[in-house]
Amino acid sequence: MATFLYKLGRLAFRRRRYVALIWVALLALAGFGASSAATATSSSFSIPGTEAQRAFDLLDERFPGGSADGATARVVFQAPDGEKVTAGANKAEIQDIVGELKSGSDQVASVADPYTANAVSKDGSTAYISVSYKVSSMELTDATREALEDVGHDAQSSGMKVEIGGDALQVMPETGATEIIGVAIAAVVLVITFGSLIAAGLPLLTALIGVGIGVSTITALANVLDLGSTTSTLAMMIGLAVGIDYALFIVSRYRAELAEGREREEAAGRAVGTAGSAVVFAGLTVVIALVGLAVVNIPMLSKMGFAAAGTVGIAVLIALTLVPAMLGFAGKRVMGRKARKAAEAENKPDAKPNMGTRWARFVLRKPVWVLLAGVIGLGAIAVPAASLEMGLPDDGSQPKSTTQRQAYDMLSDGFGPGFNGPLLVVVDTKGSTDGKTAVDRVSQEIEGIDHVVAVTPAVFNKAGDAATITVVPKDRPSSTDTENVVHDIRDAGVDIKGDTGAEVLVTGATAMNIDFSEKMNDALLPYLALVVGLAFLLLMVVFRSILVPLKAALGFLLSVVAALGAVVAVFQWGWLASLFGVEQTGPIMSMMPIFMVGVVFGLAMDYEVFLVTRMREAYVHGETPGQAIVTGFKHGARVVTAAAVIMMAVFAGFIGSSESMIKMIGFSLAIAVFFDAFVVRMAIVPAVLALLGRRAWWLPRWLDRVLPNVDVEGEGLRKELSDGPAEGGDERELVRV
């Protein structure tokens, strides 16, 4: 592989105008497709294989035109102290608003008058209007939203408090200015690392081109493939981080080759042949982790993973082709005068050891203490992960200043906490001889379940073969008691089906959230096994070792659990919440842990490949295991540190997003990269390698013969270029020691 990439790098350098033109043309084509495509809507949310989803499908089939997946809103009214919403003036005002909502937009499916729909609290202080729409929240027009927001103004002027809940006010997420700050920090780090504006600008420029192509392509295909509004944001987050890092490693190796006196084209070829090999395998681990999200069998999550993986693939291709082409345009300016002097000074025999060298020597002297400090420190941070509570956000998790949260609280005060999460029970009576009797029994069984406060009369469809019953639990939607109510209804449904033949299904937002969380929990271990297993095999091929990939996987698990502990502490417990702009604490989003595991695993393997490949290269070329660790840190620590800081800055930039999922993922990825890069890869990894010595690179002879030799360290390339064989004998003899 190294030889092929070497030739590719030289070709891209030599034909740089054509290479640059191809990428610019692809960017223009993707941009044209994005600009001419319709605006992306929210991805259709489905959870195949769950009871809640089967109930939704049954509703679409038996209640056509019911808009089961349409947006909803609740306009909540609270009378001034001492008054009631049933008083003449207040009642007239609310009924006028009912008429305004019905005529306010052709996207409205139905509007329920609170005085005929039993939507007035017992004490008469609160009432609400239920509004259903024909389309999802992201498909609502601005005019429809404005009509909904404006209806309460007149009522407010008359003294009533009016707030609006539901997903109808949901809008596209905004990332805020912190995303730009993250990119700016990345630029500063690159300038400090390279000491040259040209060298610092190359990774940024090429990464932005790659992200531009990836995100524009996602935008162009969003409606066709039902990708959703957050997919492009997540692809941008990951693509920008890896794009900068991959280009950073190529440019860094190119400068090192120039410092050794290579000609520019030769230096570009060798940089792509060596560092490019690490980029390919690092990119593969990220792609494996993202594509592996499909094992969860949730279409929305799978599409997010595939889209982000495509952006990572573009970043790899750009690093292997466009980066060497841009190096050709940059000329000698890629190394500033100070950088050249520093490189010359570093190559002198009596040169002062750099920070990476000094740190590696310290770890070699105290490997046990460094290992214990790293493991105990991360273990302590991981403790809150034991209290992890997962769920999907509702209006109760919104900041208290929002109208959605205030409407949620008003409904809780007026009708009870469970009123914000009603359950929808769907009864399929096709298999029953007497459908009405079966439905009556379902209602009676539900009324006898603990923590149920209200059961509405059943509503049959036109054919009479299906009915819906609304159940109001006593407790808030995210409580354990409400979850138990869902399971109790389903357990009762099993007996009812056996006796009457009628099938009972529980759905609604609350039941959907419960099923989603359970599905994510069930998928986590199989996902971990698949991703870690495939990556273990890949790293075994790269490093030709068993213990090094095993150490990499265990270190990753430690950093992920620590990151989960930090997420729980901030987003669930509220520690330092104001510092990160978290206005409302609550359960951790169900999809966040598994998504974080996938992304962080791929990124963690980046640092493992980049850092340990340089160690293996030194070991294969004849150095002792201890010397190889020092050499790896001498050449790689500064670049890996810069890459980690850049990734942290890019991810942290998304903490300013208005979308709670994006905010949480941005924080979790930033803190996980910090733990993995600076604690696991920079401390625990060299400590373990120092303790293992030559055994770290051991591989059974039979396995050595079976595994393909991909030559990531470039030994075959060196021989082909007549650099001479490595000192210390043949590689295969070295790895068998």
Side-chain angles (χ1 to χ4, degrees):
M1 174 179 285
T3 302
F4 168 76
L5 293 178
Y6 164 78
K7 294 177 180 177
L8 178 63
R10 293 196 62 170
L11 177 65
F13 185 96
R14 194 164 54 248
R15 305 293 185 188
R16 49 188 173 272
R17 289 181 178 82
Y18 295 107
V19 173
L21 183 62
I22 290 172
W23 282 110
V24 170
L26 289 174
L27 178 61
L29 182 64
F32 174 77
S35 63
S36 58
T39 303
T41 62
S42 60
S43 177
S44 58
F45 186 77
S46 63
I47 315 175
T50 62
E51 180 173 316
Q53 185 61 49
R54 286 194 292 121
F56 266 121
D57 295 340
L58 184 65
L59 284 172
D60 286 338
E61 176 188 341
R62 305 287 177 85
F63 293 83
S67 302
D69 58 349
T72 59
R74 281 178 171 177
V75 184
V76 188
F77 302 86
Q78 191 174 68
D81 291 341
E83 296 185 22
K84 295 181 181 295
V85 292
T86 54
N90 291 336
K91 182 175 181 179
E93 187 67 50
I94 293 173
Q95 288 181 323
D96 286 343
I97 291 174
V98 172
E100 290 178 24
L101 286 169
K102 288 180 178 179
S103 60
S105 171
D106 57 3
Q107 291 185 313
V108 173
S110 64
V111 179
D113 186 323
Y115 301 102
T116 58
N118 194 27
V120 178
S121 63
K122 291 182 179 179
D123 62 3
S125 65
T126 309
Y128 68 91
I129 301 171
S130 292
V131 187
S132 299
Y133 293 89
K134 301 174 184 176
V135 297
S136 66
S137 61
M138 288 300 174
E139 294 174 297
L140 293 177
T141 63
D142 291 339
T144 299
R145 284 200 180 90
E146 289 172 4
L148 176 62
E149 292 169 348
D150 291 343
V151 293
H153 289 172
D154 293 339
Q156 285 177 329
S157 63
S158 65
M160 283 191 293
K161 183 179 180 181
V162 184
E163 302 294 345
I164 303 172
D167 62 352
L169 294 183
Q170 182 180 351
V171 295
M172 295 282 286
E174 299 175 359
T175 54
T178 51
E179 178 189 343
I180 300 173
I181 295 174
V183 176
I185 293 174
V188 172
V189 172
L190 288 169
V191 171
I192 295 173
T193 302
F194 288 132
S196 165
L197 289 175
I198 298 294
L202 279 178
L204 277 176
L205 176 62
T206 55
L208 288 173
I209 291 174
V211 167
I213 294 172
V215 172
S216 295
T217 303
I218 291 171
T219 304
L221 300 175
N223 282 318
V224 177
L225 301 180
D226 192 26
L227 295 180
S229 55
T230 58
T231 302
S232 58
T233 305
L234 295 170
M236 181 192 303
M237 181 193 303
I238 298 166
L240 191 60
V242 300
I244 293 174
D245 276 8
Y246 295 164
L248 168 64
F249 282 98
I250 299 290
V251 174
S252 177
R253 190 58 182 255
Y254 173 76
R255 283 159 51 101
E257 296 292 340
L258 286 181
E260 293 181 9
R262 314 281 186 201
E263 292 295 326
R264 290 169 49 222
E265 183 178 330
E266 179 69 12
R270 287 176 180 253
V272 176
T274 51
S277 297
V279 166
V280 169
F281 282 96
L284 274 176
T285 58
V286 181
V287 169
I288 286 173
L290 291 171
V291 172
L293 290 170
V295 75
V296 183
N297 193 29
I298 294 179
M300 181 184 70
L301 195 60
S302 300
K303 291 171 185 177
M304 289 165 57
F306 283 124
T311 306
V312 172
I314 293 171
V316 172
L317 293 175
I318 280 185
L320 300 179
T321 57
L322 184 58
V323 170
M326 298 302 291
L327 290 172
F329 287 117
K332 295 183 178 179
R333 290 169 294 177
V334 77
M335 286 194 74
R337 186 177 302 173
K338 291 183 179 179
R340 284 196 294 270
K341 288 183 178 179
E344 292 171 0
E346 191 174 310
N347 289 329
K348 291 181 180 179
D350 58 344
K352 180 183 177 181
N354 62 17
M355 182 67 74
T357 300
R358 295 197 297 272
W359 171 251
R361 289 174 179 171
F362 170 77
V363 175
L364 287 173
R365 290 195 301 270
K366 307 284 186 180
V368 175
W369 291 108
V370 171
L371 179 61
L372 288 176
V375 172
I376 293 174
L378 290 181
I381 298 172
V383 169
S387 302
L388 175 68
E389 296 178 8
M390 294 197 296
L392 288 180
D394 55 22
D395 286 346
S397 62
Q398 296 275 0
K400 293 182 179 179
S401 59
T402 62
T403 185
Q404 294 96 323
R405 173 59 186 274
Q406 292 185 40
Y408 181 96
D409 292 339
M410 287 164 61
L411 287 172
S412 295
D413 294 339
F415 297 89
F419 199 80
N420 283 291
L423 306 174
L424 184 62
V425 177
V426 184
V427 185
D428 182 1
T429 59
K430 258 192 175 179
S432 175
T433 54
D434 188 347
K436 188 177 184 308
T437 302
V439 171
D440 288 342
R441 180 178 169 185
V442 172
S443 297
Q444 292 171 3
E445 292 278 355
I446 295 174
E447 287 173 351
I449 293 175
D450 290 339
H451 297 277
V452 170
V453 296
V455 179
T456 65
V459 177
F460 280 86
N461 65 342
K462 290 182 179 180
D465 58 2
T468 59
I469 302 170
T470 300
V471 179
V472 179
K474 178 182 178 182
D475 305 284
R476 69 186 191 279
S478 58
S479 70
T480 303
D481 289 332
T482 299
E483 183 177 344
N484 292 335
V485 169
V486 172
H487 292 305
D488 288 344
I489 295 174
R490 288 173 174 172
D491 291 342
V494 174
D495 295 334
I496 291 172
K497 185 175 182 179
D499 295 340
T500 68
E503 185 176 15
V504 180
L505 304 171
V506 185
T507 188
T510 301
M512 185 73 84
N513 290 354
I514 292 170
D515 287 354
F516 182 79
S517 297
E518 291 178 353
K519 192 174 181 70
M520 298 301 288
N521 285 333
D522 294 341
L524 185 57
L525 286 179
Y527 175 70
L528 271 175
L530 173 69
V531 172
V532 175
L534 289 176
F536 179 85
L537 294 175
L538 185 64
L539 292 179
M540 192 163 59
V541 172
V542 172
F543 296 125
R544 306 194 73 75
S545 164
I546 292 178
L547 296 180
V548 170
L550 180 62
K551 163 197 61 62
L554 293 177
F556 151 74
L557 292 174
L558 184 60
S559 61
V560 161
V561 176
L564 279 176
V567 170
V568 170
V570 174
F571 289 88
Q572 187 175 310
W573 291 359
W575 293 4
L576 302 177
S578 60
L579 179 64
F580 298 102
V582 180
E583 297 184 48
Q584 181 63 39
T585 59
I588 305 304
M589 270 184 223
S590 301
M591 70 170 62
M592 196 284 299
I594 199 166
F595 190 84
M596 187 192 75
V597 165
V599 175
V600 172
F601 183 78
L603 301 181
M605 295 305 104
D606 281 1
Y607 302 121
E608 181 76 14
V609 170
F610 288 133
L611 192 60
V612 180
T613 294
R614 201 67 188 254
M615 297 179 191
R616 174 170 171 75
E617 183 179 340
Y619 181 73
V620 167
H621 294 161
E623 294 186 6
T624 64
Q627 291 172 332
I629 293 172
V630 174
T631 300
F633 270 80
K634 175 184 177 182
H635 295 291
R638 185 180 184 187
V639 180
V640 169
T641 299
V645 172
I646 288 169
M647 275 202 178
M648 289 167 54
V650 172
F651 291 144
F654 288 85
I655 296 176
S657 173
S658 62
E659 175 67 36
S660 55
M661 176 182 169
I662 300 295
K663 180 189 290 287
M664 195 178 291
I665 288 179
F667 172 83
S668 65
L669 293 182
I671 199 71
V673 167
F674 174 78
F675 291 151
D676 196 87
F678 293 105
V679 181
V680 174
R681 308 302 155 190
M682 290 290 187
I684 294 177
V685 164
V688 171
L689 290 177
L691 292 172
L692 290 175
R694 293 183 181 273
R695 288 168 294 183
W697 307 107
W698 172 79
L699 189 70
R701 291 178 180 269
W702 66 269
L703 190 55
D704 183 43
R705 290 191 296 267
V706 172
L707 292 179
N709 187 359
V710 294
D711 190 27
V712 174
E713 68 280 351
E715 177 63 12
L717 176 61
R718 288 176 179 269
K719 291 180 179 179
E720 184 174 320
L721 298 177
S722 302
D723 281 1
E727 279 185 25
D730 183 77
E731 173 192 341
R732 298 198 175 203
E733 291 300 319
L734 285 171
V735 296
R736 291 172 187 161
V737 175

